Amino acid sequence: MVKIAYEYIERMGIRDTQFIIARHTDRKHPHCHIVFNRVDNNGKTISDKNDRYRNEKVCKELTEKYGLYMADGKEHVNTERLRPHDRAKYDIYEALFASLAKNFTPSTLPPVLLYLNSVIIPCL
């Protein structure tokens, strides 16, 4: 896991700075958290431009390379463990999903969900 974390850091362009890799086994799936100083050892800021998109790309590549799996979708999140503002986002998502299920036929529901995933889900 540490090897993969180091590779992630390198691919994300996080270099010449302080960082911590914290491995967790408190869930059914082992995972780690990476915390790094965005000011490198030379006093320059490490760019966070497009971090979200780079992160997604790097995670998919590492997942494939090492035979890992992506966590289940937003429908499987334990909302009881979330902070209030994060839980509110899931409550909104669930209310929208329930409303869509009542108001759309199966043939019209998928395009609507695709739209919601592109607009709302990135906010979660």
Side-chain angles (χ1 to χ4, degrees), residues 63-83:
T63 297
E64 186 175 313
K65 178 179 179 179
Y66 291 102
L68 305 173
Y69 66 94
M70 297 297 269
D72 290 331
K74 301 292 182 203
E75 298 81 24
H76 302 287
V77 171
N78 181 357
T79 58
E80 298 297 322
R81 296 185 62 156
L82 296 175
R83 295 181 188 128

Side-chain angles (χ1 to χ4, degrees), residues 4 10 15 17-20 34 40-41 48-49 52 54-55 58-59 64 69-70 72-74 77 90 96-97 107 117:
I4 298 170
E10 181 64 29
R15 296 180 183 93
T17 192
Q18 304 159 330
F19 63 89
I20 296 171
I34 300 170
D40 71 15
N41 295 330
D48 63 352
K49 185 176 181 183
R52 178 173 170 241
R54 275 188 295 146
N55 175 63
V58 169
C59 285
E64 186 175 313
Y69 66 94
M70 297 297 269
D72 290 331
K74 301 292 182 203
V77 171
Y90 282 90
L96 283 170
F97 188 85
S107 63
N117 279 327

Side-chain angles (χ1 to χ4, degrees), residues 8-52:
Y8 171 84
I9 289 169
E10 181 64 29
R11 288 186 182 202
M12 286 296 292
I14 302 167
R15 296 180 183 93
D16 197 29
T17 192
Q18 304 159 330
F19 63 89
I20 296 171
I21 300 170
R23 183 170 186 222
H24 284 241
T25 56
D26 60 333
R27 304 269 172 95
K28 293 178 183 176
H29 60 280
H31 61 283
C32 67
H33 297 267
I34 300 170
V35 180
F36 69 96
N37 188 344
R38 282 199 50 230
V39 178
D40 71 15
N41 295 330
N42 298 312
K44 295 182 181 174
T45 302
I46 297 171
S47 175
D48 63 352
K49 185 176 181 183
N50 296 317
D51 261 4
R52 178 173 170 241

